């Protein structure tokens, strides 16, 4: 029987505390950065001897980092055209009521998140959608929920939709084409459910018009072309490393913007959310530190032998508590076969709608509302989001 040593227990304690802290957005008014939390945890486990510096570097997956980097560049370059602000304002003006705004936000976020990272979609659309509800003296909770649910459900359709999908594409034998073929129809079905279930909670309060900003159509077309083109190349060239391909098209995108639009690439790079990459590096090191821990191995073995229902419950519960990206990295060692990887992607993504901490998209909307002094009801968010999450997860598991 293996006996854990004091350093081993300290390393395990640091890892557990770090993963739990990732679900806490602020403490007594002090904001907690998920990237900083993961980075500090990673440094701590190396300092405690949980991993050597060489092993820590070896635990980081470059394909995932390059894939996420590429998508961050594509989205930031596209957003600079102003198309996201225009799309949000156009939606608010054409919706005319809060019910249509909620439904429209769900569809718009789903469509954009299918080809771009869902977190970026929420960051760029949340200000317009929430402010539109506020100008009508309406509760912004429902449009906010629509935005989050749409972004999470839509992101399920492709490996470019969210960070955990990008990780799964990099780690598994699932090709981009197979990912889209099997999960895009699931996303469409789940989107239909996500549109119907919240309807009884919405009202038809009239929305006043909002200014529609102009945007650079040529630049938007260029950015959209690079996004769709990247997805096409990932599907068409499964033998090429996904990270290298995404990063390569991102650099080409930067070059095209610099030459064609006279915008220095440095300006776009400075606005990237580098914290996402820091978060991933920290999570890679943290999970690498506990892969050999006897308690962690025993828990993973339990999950591995739990069957479809047990694995689904473990994925859903872990995603709801520590959020979906850490959950996927923790469960990856006991995931094998295309169906299991795709089920992990579906359950972790759809579980993101269950609680305020289950996905970064929800935390982004809550933080944006707080900064604008708009009160979003967390209780209402859970009352609507949890049933949507559970039902869509059940449907996804059956369809996958």
């Amino acid at each position: 029987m293996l006996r854990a040593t004091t350093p081993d227990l300290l390393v395990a304690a640091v890892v557990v505390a770090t993963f739990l802290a990732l679900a806490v957005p602020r403490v007594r008014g002090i904001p907690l950065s998920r990237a900083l939390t993961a980075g500090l945890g990673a440094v701590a486990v190396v300092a405690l001897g949980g991993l050597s510096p060489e092993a820590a570097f070896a635990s980081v997956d470059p394909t995932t980092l390059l894939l996420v980097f590429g998508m961050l560049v594509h989205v930031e370059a596209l957003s600079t055209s102003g198309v996201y602000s225009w799309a949000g304002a156009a939606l608010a003006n054409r919706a005319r009521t809060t019910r249509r705004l909620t439904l429209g936000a769900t569809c718009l976020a789903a469509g954009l998140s299918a080809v771009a990272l869902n977190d970026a979609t929420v960051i760029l659309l949340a200000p317009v959608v929430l402010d539109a509800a506020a100008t009508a003296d309406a509760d912004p909770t429902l449009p906010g929920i629509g935005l989050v649910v749409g972004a999470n459900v839509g992101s399920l359709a492709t490996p470019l939709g969210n960070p955990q999908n990008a990780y799964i594409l990099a780690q598994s034998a699932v090709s981009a084409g197979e990912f889209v073929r099997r999960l895009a129809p699931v996303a469409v079905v789940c989107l239909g459910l996500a549109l119907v279930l919240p309807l009884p909670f919405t009202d038809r309060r009239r929305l006043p018009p909002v200014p529609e900003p102009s945007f650079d159509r040529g630049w938007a077309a260029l950015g959209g072309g690079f996004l769709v083109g990247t997805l096409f190349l990932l599907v068409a060239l499964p033998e090429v490393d996904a990270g290298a391909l995404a990063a390569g098209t991102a650099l080409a995108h930067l070059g095209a913007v610099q030459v064609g639009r006279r915008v220095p690439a440095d300006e776009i790079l400075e606005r990237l959310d580098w914290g996402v990459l820091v978060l991933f590096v920290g999570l890679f090191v943290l999970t690498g530190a506990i892969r050999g821990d006897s308690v962690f191995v025993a828990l993973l073995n339990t999950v591995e032998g739990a069957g479809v229902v047990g694995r689904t419950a473990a994925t859903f519960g872990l995603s709801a508590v520590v959020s979906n990206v850490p959950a996927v990295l923790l469960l990856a060692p006991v995931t094998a076969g295309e169906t299991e990887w795709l089920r992990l992607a579906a359950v972790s993504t759809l579980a993101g709608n269950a609680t305020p901490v289950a996905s970064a998209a929800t935390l982004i909307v809550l933080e944006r509302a707080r900064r604008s002094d708009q009160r979003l009801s967390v209780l209402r968010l859970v009352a609507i989001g949890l049933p949507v999450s559970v039902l869509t997860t059940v449907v996804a598991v059956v369809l996958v």
Side-chain angles (χ1 to χ4, degrees):
M1 177 178 175
L2 294 175
R3 187 181 298 275
T5 64
T6 299
D8 290 338
L9 292 175
L10 284 174
V11 169
V14 168
V15 173
V16 171
T18 302
F19 274 106
L20 291 176
L22 289 172
V24 181
R26 57 183 56 244
V27 174
R28 295 185 177 181
I30 300 174
L32 298 183
S33 163
R34 285 159 58 88
L36 179 60
T37 299
L40 288 175
V43 170
V45 298
V46 173
L48 290 170
L51 280 180
S52 67
E54 294 78 14
F57 278 113
S59 67
V60 176
D61 179 58
T63 296
T64 302
L65 295 183
L66 286 172
L67 186 54
V68 174
F69 164 76
M71 294 313 301
L72 288 172
V73 169
H74 285 310
V75 172
E76 185 58 45
L78 175 61
S79 70
T80 309
S81 70
V83 68
Y84 280 93
S85 298
W86 170 82
L91 167 65
N93 286 332
R94 287 156 182 75
R96 298 184 180 178
T97 68
T98 51
R99 169 174 290 180
R100 290 179 181 174
L101 178 64
T102 300
L103 298 177
T106 304
C107 292
L108 179 61
L112 292 174
S113 297
V115 292
L117 291 173
N118 60 347
D119 297 348
T121 297
V122 171
I123 289 173
L124 296 165
L125 291 181
V128 182
V129 172
L130 295 181
D131 289 348
T135 57
D137 292 325
D139 181 3
T141 303
L142 263 298
I145 292 173
L147 192 59
V148 170
V149 169
N152 283 328
V153 172
S155 72
L156 177 60
T158 74
L160 306 182
N162 58 55
Q164 66 267 21
N165 285 1
Y167 172 79
I168 287 172
L169 179 67
Q171 293 294 310
S172 71
V174 180
S175 68
E178 185 68 6
F179 195 107
V180 173
R181 186 184 72 81
R182 294 185 62 179
L183 289 187
V186 176
V188 172
V189 173
C190 291
L191 178 61
L193 293 173
L195 290 170
V196 172
L197 292 177
L199 277 179
F201 300 94
T202 60
D203 58 38
R204 296 181 178 178
R205 187 170 305 191
R206 301 289 296 182
L207 294 172
V210 298
E212 288 188 21
S214 59
F215 71 100
D216 189 320
R217 296 179 183 274
W219 192 338
L222 176 69
F226 268 103
L227 273 170
V228 175
T230 299
L231 178 59
F232 174 80
L233 290 175
L234 286 171
V235 172
L237 303 172
E239 69 281 358
V240 178
D241 181 82
L245 197 155
T249 60
L251 295 177
H253 193 172
L254 287 175
V257 169
Q258 186 166 269
V259 173
R261 297 291 163 176
R262 302 295 190 268
V263 176
D266 288 347
E267 289 188 12
I268 295 174
L269 291 173
E270 287 170 2
R271 291 194 295 269
L272 290 191
D273 185 3
W274 293 100
V276 174
L277 299 178
V278 175
L279 172 64
F280 261 105
V281 170
L283 291 177
F284 281 132
V285 174
L286 289 165
T287 53
I290 60 168
R291 287 249 165 94
D293 181 81
S294 57
V295 175
F296 180 66
V297 171
L299 290 173
L300 284 183
N301 288 338
T302 301
V303 172
E304 188 175 20
V308 174
V309 174
R311 293 174 67 89
T312 298
T315 304
F316 189 96
L318 196 57
S319 297
V321 174
V322 301
S323 85
N324 43 26
V325 173
V328 168
L329 267 71
L330 286 170
L331 295 172
V334 291
T335 304
E338 285 190 356
T339 298
E340 284 191 12
W341 279 110
L342 293 172
R343 191 177 291 126
L344 178 63
V347 175
S348 62
T349 296
L350 296 172
N353 295 320
T355 68
V357 299
S359 72
T362 310
L363 295 173
I364 290 167
V365 169
L366 289 172
E367 180 63 18
R368 175 59 178 76
R370 187 194 66 80
R371 290 180 182 176
S372 303
D373 294 324
Q374 297 168 337
R375 189 173 181 274
L376 263 68
S377 170
V378 174
L379 183 62
R380 202 175 187 197
L381 188 152
V382 174
I384 298 172
L386 182 58
V388 170
S389 183
V390 171
L391 183 57
T392 53
T393 296
V394 171
V395 170
V397 170
V398 172
L399 294 179
V400 172

